[in-house]
Amino acid sequence: YGGSRVHDLDTVGSLGIQNGDEVWVSVVQLGGKPVIYLFPPQPVPEATVSVKLVPEWSFTHIYPLTDIKTIDNGHQCLTWSLSADVGGTLVERGTNLELSYLFWEAASGSNIPSSPPLTPVDGSDDAFRRSSERFDPAYPFLEPHTPTSVLLPFPELLSYLDTALKDLSLHTSARNDFITYWLPKLSKQPYVALRFLPQPVYERAAELLVNPKPDVVTRVFMLFRGVPEDEVRSWSEARERAGSVNWPSVVGITEEAYDTSVFRVLDWGAMEVFRSMYSVLDTRDILLICAWP
């Protein structure tokens, strides 16, 4: 309210809210378990992996620990130094800590938009959409008319996800980790809507730089939300799309992503989308403000 985040102990009186004032109710959005694998065809004794976030995102957890720096215009960034062997095992330089992957997590900030967020570009051309869409981590977009959104009943979801993730080049243990990590949130409603972001769209929100430069970088990031039974009718087109969306084409997966003879980097993560509300307030009402999926 008034360009600032309202806190738990604030009251209508302390904030000076008047009848007819405009309120934007939003929920902190969490980019959960983005993890980064390195698969070189031969040992790499010295490598660095850096992640740079847009100002709308801030790191909440990382592993292994390393310094988080804030640079120009509020961007946060970090760098890991490590070695990588052919099997994908990473060893952090300085500590000799052995790892299967690098982990980071980020939460959206409290900036209030000047108006409700814009919808993504709606069109059938994947290349045009990848070049035009903007992913705002604070206000992610997943609605029935989103061009690539799909809806599945929960009993069909897990096998669908496993197939989609395999098509997107995730190996067995990565697919298993992805599904089991998100399973408690995926199972909250009888239906789940989801979409995978085009790689360039995600890259603009979380820039990834690996040195030495890999032959191919594959970044898989999924937006999802639970859908209750009484809202399913509005998702009818997304339900029909479930069997026809070509996720490798949407995300932009290249043939090299499956080639074990080249230096590959794989990055996957997801975000549960919560809806925001823009409202004109009537202070004669008693308000209960809460977050809902």
Side-chain angles (χ1 to χ4, degrees), residues 71-146:
I71 55 175
D72 55 297
N73 298 321
H75 295 265
Q76 286 194 348
C77 64
L78 58 78
T79 298
W80 289 286
S81 298
L82 47 89
S83 64
D85 69 18
V86 176
T89 298
L90 311 177
V91 179
E92 186 184 28
R93 294 176 62 189
T95 65
N96 290 325
L97 180 67
E98 291 189 345
L99 307 152
S100 297
Y101 49 71
L102 306 170
F103 167 87
W104 64 271
E105 183 180 80
S108 62
S110 59
N111 293 334
I112 307 300
S114 57
S115 63
L118 300 176
T119 60
V121 172
D122 191 339
S124 59
D125 185 85
D126 288 335
F128 179 73
R129 187 183 306 118
R130 286 196 295 269
S131 67
S132 304
E133 182 181 348
R134 179 178 183 269
F135 166 55
D136 184 342
Y139 300 97
F141 196 83
L142 179 61
E143 296 296 334
H145 59 278
T146 307

Side-chain angles (χ1 to χ4, degrees), residues 170-241:
L170 271 68
H171 50 283
T172 302
S173 62
R175 300 197 305 272
N176 186 67
D177 284 352
F178 186 108
I179 292 172
T180 55
Y181 179 84
W182 288 108
L183 185 56
K185 296 184 182 296
L186 289 167
S187 60
K188 293 192 299 185
Q189 294 286 357
Y191 289 82
V192 176
L194 65 88
R195 64 186 287 239
F196 290 96
L197 292 179
Q199 290 189 87
V201 173
Y202 179 49
E203 174 69 16
R204 288 193 284 269
E207 182 180 347
L208 175 64
L209 179 64
V210 180
N211 187 43
K213 185 177 180 180
D215 296 296
V216 59
V217 177
T218 302
R219 309 195 70 187
V220 176
F221 195 82
M222 184 181 79
L223 303 180
F224 73 92
R225 55 180 276 201
V227 177
E229 189 78 42
D230 59 4
E231 295 182 12
V232 169
R233 180 175 297 181
S234 65
W235 289 84
S236 58
E237 292 184 8
R239 180 74 179 102
E240 294 173 1
R241 273 195 298 268

Side-chain angles (χ1 to χ4, degrees), residues 27 39 46 59 158 197 237 252:
V27 183
F39 297 110
E46 295 185 5
F59 290 110
L158 301 186
L197 292 179
E237 292 184 8

